Amino acid sequence: MTNPVFREDSYLASATGRVTGHSPEGGVILDRSIFYPTGGGQPGDSGALAWGNSSLVIATAIKGQGEEIILVPGVPAALPPIGASVTQTLDWDRRLGHMRVHSALHLLSVAVPLPVTGGSISALKGRLDFDMLDATIDKDALASHM
């Protein structure tokens, strides 16, 4: 089980953790993680792990078995050994972009009084899909009211 520290403090950009396992695909599993895993239309966090004189670029985080969060390396490399203490560091600019776009899409979902059927988030832009028969909402008029 991975303790999802990002739920307690979404502004934490760096933290320690202990390696509890490796996934069959070459990912790293920690006892606690500041990396948000891919889910709900939002990409997983990226960043790095450091231990001793070694480091590993993390391309994304995904959900594993049960409550595990798997940190996926950007390139094949030596993984920190099980039991090692590591420092996790987020790509903070990317995380903050995801947070801002996520919040903006929540505001949009309130401004448009229709059910949301899907969406997507990136660090620079996002999309919400609404359940509407016709494109009856004027984007420019909506933007001028926000």
Side-chain angles (χ1 to χ4, degrees), residues 1-2 17-32 49 56 68-73 79-84 86:
M1 180 177 151
T2 305
R18 187 176 51 78
V19 178
T20 59
H22 300 142
S23 72
E25 301 80 21
V28 179
I29 303 165
L30 302 178
D31 64 337
R32 58 195 303 265
L49 296 180
L56 181 66
E68 290 177 341
I69 296 173
I70 300 171
L71 307 181
V72 180
L79 302 179
I82 294 174
V86 299

Side-chain angles (χ1 to χ4, degrees), residues 57-104:
V57 172
I58 300 300
T60 192
I62 60 173
K63 295 175 183 174
Q65 298 286 330
E67 299 296 316
E68 290 177 341
I69 296 173
I70 300 171
L71 307 181
V72 180
V75 296
L79 302 179
I82 294 174
S85 179
V86 299
T87 299
Q88 335 170 36
T89 305
L90 292 180
D91 174 342
W92 180 249
D93 290 339
R94 186 169 180 262
R95 158 68 78 81
L96 187 59
H98 290 163
M99 291 169 62
R100 287 178 172 168
V101 171
H102 187 150
S103 294

Side-chain angles (χ1 to χ4, degrees), residues 2 7-8 10 13 33 39 50 52 58 61 70 74 76 78 82 85 87 92 99 105 109 116 122 126 129 139-140:
T2 305
R7 288 191 183 138
E8 299 162 17
S10 59
S33 179
I58 300 300
I70 300 171
I82 294 174
S85 179
T87 299
W92 180 249
M99 291 169 62
L105 292 178
S109 73
V116 174
S122 76
D129 303 326
K139 237 179 6 176
D140 295 328

Side-chain angles (χ1 to χ4, degrees), residues 107-116 128-146:
L107 293 172
L108 181 62
S109 73
V110 171
V112 176
L114 295 169
V116 174
L128 279 183
D129 303 326
F130 294 97
D131 186 9
M132 68 172 81
L133 295 176
D134 300 316
T136 56
I137 294 177
D138 181 349
K139 237 179 6 176
D140 295 328
L142 181 62
S144 70
H145 286 59
M146 294 188 82

Side-chain angles (χ1 to χ4, degrees), residues 34-56:
I34 60 173
F35 287 80
Y36 180 87
T38 300
Q42 184 164 319
D45 283 325
S46 59
L49 296 180
W51 69 100
N53 292 324
S54 300
S55 64
L56 181 66

